[in-house]
Amino acid sequence: MKPMLLINFKTYEQGTGKEALDLAKVADEVAGKEDASIVLSVQPTDLERISGAISIPVYAQHMDPVTPGSHTGWILPEAVKEAGAKGTLINHSEHNIDKEKIEANVKKCRELGIVSVCCAATPEIAKEVAAFGPDFVAIEPPELIGGTVSVSTAKPEIISDTVEAVKSVNPEVKVLCGAGVNSSGDVKKAIELGAVGVLVASAIVKSETPEKVILDLISGF
Ligand code: G3P
C-alpha cells in the first residue's frame, strides 16, 4: 500500500461544517494532483456532505457498537456507513472507550466492510488492540498531541516498539503514528521506523495554508 496521510479534523472550527468542506476539497485536490493516499476523519454531522463532495476516503472519528433500536444520541455504525464513511477511528485518545467496545467496533467494521483504525496511547495498549484484528493501529502518545514536537522526534522508540508489538500479535495489522507531526522530516522518520502512515490534525487543520502543509508532509513519503 501507498503510505497514508490521515487528517483528523477533530472539532476544530476549521474542521467543522462549511470550513470542513472547504478543507476537505483542498485535501482532495492535492491527493488527485500528487497521486497520494490521503484520508480524512470528520465529525458525524459532516460525514455525508463531505463524502458526497470529494473522491478521497472519509472516515468517522468514532462510532458506538450499538444495534439499530433504542440508543438515543449514540452513533450507529450502519448510519456511519450509509453517510459515506469508508472507515472509522476507534478509541482516539480524546474519546477513549473500554476494551470490549473496541473489540465490538472492530468486529462491526469487518461486518460492514469498512476500515478500522484503533488508536492506542502506548505500545502495550497497541498490542492489546492489535489482537482484535483491526486494519490499523495508530500509536499516539497523548502528551504530544496538539504540540509542535512530533512523536517521531520525541519518542521514536514508541513507534518501533509498537510495530514490533503489533506484528508479534498479528502481522497483518498495519501501524500508523501521530501526535505533533508537522514536517516532512517527521513523516520520513515515522516511515523509517516502520509506520505505514501518519495521523495529523493541528498542523494541517489549524494552518492558514493547509495545501502547503499537506504537500510538505506527503513529500516525506
Ligand atoms: O488524531 C490525530 C491527532 O490526535 C494528532 O493531533 O494535532 O498532534 O496532529 P496533532
Side-chain angles (χ1 to χ4, degrees), residues 8 10 12 89 92-94 140 144-147 178-181 199-203:
N8 182 4
K10 300 200 174 181
Y12 287 122
L89 301 184
H92 190 277
S93 74
E94 291 151 11
E140 295 200 308
L144 297 173
I145 291 179
V181 173
L199 202 51
V200 181
S202 51

Side-chain angles (χ1 to χ4, degrees), residues 47-66:
L47 263 177
E48 184 147 12
R49 78 162 131 185
I50 292 181
S51 62
I54 61 174
S55 343
I56 58 176
V58 180
Y59 291 1
Q61 296 179 355
H62 169 79
M63 65 183 202
D64 296 298
V66 292

Side-chain angles (χ1 to χ4, degrees), residues 127-162:
K127 190 172 179 174
E128 281 181 67
V129 299
F132 304 145
D135 296 291
F136 296 91
V137 167
I139 179 77
E140 295 200 308
E143 65 283 8
L144 297 173
I145 291 179
T148 52
V149 180
S150 77
V151 55
S152 29
T153 306
K155 301 203 167 165
E157 68 288 351
I158 285 205
I159 304 174
S160 37
D161 289 355
T162 299

